[in-house]
Amino acid sequence: SKMGPSNGRGPLNTKRAPRLKKGYGAIGLGRHTNKGFFIVNPMVFPMLKVPDLTGFELRPYVSRNTPVISNAHPYWKTGKFKP
């Protein structure tokens, strides 16, 4: 690249290269092997405890002003992805 620490222009950050995305703080869930596979470490995998909501009185709120999408993608109609 034209910019970067190897060319003596300082660190490569979003000020010097606006199209650069440096990540979103994802946690490392495992490691790569020498053969290109990825082994997931179950100790760092987030376990979400979701409560049982059967018989719960409240329902998800959707406003009556929400527009109806008439030209939705076929995936949302069938639930099956076909590229």
Side-chain angles (χ1 to χ4, degrees):
S1 73
K2 294 182 179 180
M3 306 174 88
S6 63
N7 290 345
R9 298 186 187 192
L12 187 62
N13 55 18
T14 54
K15 284 186 177 180
R16 298 178 188 267
R19 292 175 298 280
L20 175 71
K21 300 292 183 189
K22 296 186 80 170
Y24 297 101
I27 59 173
L29 295 179
R31 61 183 178 87
H32 290 281
T33 62
N34 292 337
K35 295 186 177 182
F37 293 102
F38 188 78
I39 298 177
V40 176
N41 186 359
M43 297 296 290
V44 296
F45 197 83
M47 299 298 292
L48 303 176
K49 295 182 179 178
V50 181
D52 184 21
L53 298 177
T54 55
F56 195 66
E57 300 169 357
L58 299 178
R59 297 286 171 222
Y61 174 73
V62 178
S63 173
R64 293 184 181 270
N65 298 330
T66 304
V68 177
I69 301 174
S70 60
N71 60 348
H73 191 272
Y75 168 77
W76 301 111
K77 296 176 184 174
T78 60
K80 296 178 182 177
F81 181 70
K82 295 179 183 176

